[in-house]
Each structure stands twice: as structure tokens, then as C-alpha cells.
Amino acid sequence: MAIIKLETWEYEYASHIGIRRFTANWDKEDAEHYQHEERKEDDRTAQVAAAIGELAVAKLVNQYWHATIWSAEKHNQFKKLPDVGTNIEVRRVRTQDAVCIRQKDTGRGLIVFAVRPIEKEFMEVEVFGFINADTGYEMGEQRDYGRVVPLDMLRKDFVWFEEVTL
């Protein structure tokens, strides 16, 4: 696992992107798999944490973070755009020790990173590891919302990331 410490300006920028994503979708209803009130976190916090996680992975692997914001009406136009670089999806791990891989992630050459912004302020982010989306989906345990891969099954060789063929 790697701990990524954000600079103040990185924290401010990622938080700004998270808030902008939140306000761009104020009137949008949650997807079915997010409608379990007993497990749900407020969307403002979730969006900020997600953006912070994306920036942390971009910083770790030295890849571009586009920080895109779009409204629900434009979701279909941008939904296949990876979070970081040309092929990295970042998934926040909040309540379980596993990362979710969805079928829609497969067949696209995606690499999925698992992160946990450290509460309360999210100034540091735990990056647990990464896995090829196809491999993760094959080996994951089926749940209602996708397949989950335990964090201890993820690759952690971040130093070699740019040289690794996945």
C-alpha cells in the first residue's frame, strides 16, 4: 500500500472538482445500487473523496488527471472516459476490504486502482493496489452491483507501474 500526501493546492483543487460534480447533478436520482440509505454517504462527501482519490492516483503514477465535470444529461457522452490517463479507473473503498469491478469495465484495457481517502479531511490517500479490470472481473466474487476483489489480491508494484504490461 502507498500513502499519498496531498499538497494544500492539490487538496483544494480536487475538493473544488468534487463539489462541482456534486452541484452539476443535484437533481439526479441515485443509481439503484446507491439507494441503500443505511450504507449511503452524503453525495457531497462522496464526490469530494472520489476526486481526491483520482488526483492521488494520478500523482502516484505520474499520469494526467482530466478532472472532468459533466451533468447527468451528458453522462452517456463521457461515461467511458477513464478517471486518470488513458486507461485508469479509480475506485474508492469505504466499507469493505475489496474493490468492485463492473462488467462495463471489461474489454476496454482498463486498470482499476483501489483507494481510501483517510478521514476526516482526506489530506492523505491510501492506495491499496491495482488490477487489470478483465482479470479482476474473472476472479471477483459476484455481488448485486458487480464483482469484488479482496484488496490483498491487488498488485502493489507502483514503482514499476509505467513499465508493467497488464
Side-chain angles (χ1 to χ4, degrees):
M1 175 178 61
I3 303 282
I4 305 303
K5 296 179 185 208
L6 300 182
E7 300 295 330
T8 302
W9 70 268
E10 293 170 321
Y11 174 79
E12 290 171 351
Y13 184 62
S15 296
H16 173 76
I17 295 300
I19 293 294
R20 292 278 317 278
R21 289 176 179 175
F22 170 64
T23 58
N25 290 286
W26 264 344
D27 297 326
K28 182 181 175 217
E29 283 197 34
D30 289 334
E32 187 176 326
H33 55 276
Y34 290 123
Q35 293 183 357
H36 301 283
E37 290 298 324
E38 69 280 0
R39 291 184 277 174
K40 188 176 169 186
E41 176 178 54
D42 70 279
D43 197 39
R44 180 191 63 239
T45 301
Q47 291 290 349
V48 168
I52 285 172
E54 291 170 12
L55 184 141
V57 169
K59 184 175 181 174
L60 174 67
V61 300
N62 197 28
Q63 297 275 334
Y64 179 72
W65 178 50
H66 57 74
T68 305
I69 301 159
W70 62 81
S71 62
E73 299 83 45
K74 294 185 178 181
H75 182 73
N76 285 336
Q77 182 180 348
F78 296 108
K79 69 181 178 182
K80 291 194 175 187
L81 186 65
D83 296 325
V84 173
T86 60
N87 67 338
I88 297 173
E89 277 295 308
V90 179
R91 295 285 158 75
R92 181 177 176 213
V93 174
R94 192 172 69 88
T95 60
Q96 56 187 343
D97 290 327
V99 63
C100 181
I101 312 286
R102 297 185 200 109
Q103 187 172 17
K104 71 179 184 74
D105 301 327
T106 62
R108 298 174 44 207
L110 291 178
I111 300 163
V112 177
F113 275 74
V115 303
R116 179 179 291 140
I118 299 171
E119 294 185 9
K120 181 160 186 165
E121 296 301 325
F122 303 144
M123 288 290 294
E124 297 181 341
V125 179
E126 296 172 302
V127 182
F128 295 105
F130 61 94
I131 192 165
N132 175 283
D134 295 335
T135 303
Y137 191 78
E138 274 182 36
M139 66 189 291
E141 178 185 328
Q142 185 65 50
R143 300 282 172 86
D144 292 343
Y145 47 85
R147 295 186 181 175
V148 294
V149 177
L151 298 178
D152 61 3
M153 303 286 286
L154 303 180
R155 293 180 62 169
K156 295 164 181 49
D157 49 341
F158 306 116
V159 174
W160 308 108
F161 183 79
E162 293 178 0
E163 299 173 25
V164 173
T165 303
L166 298 171

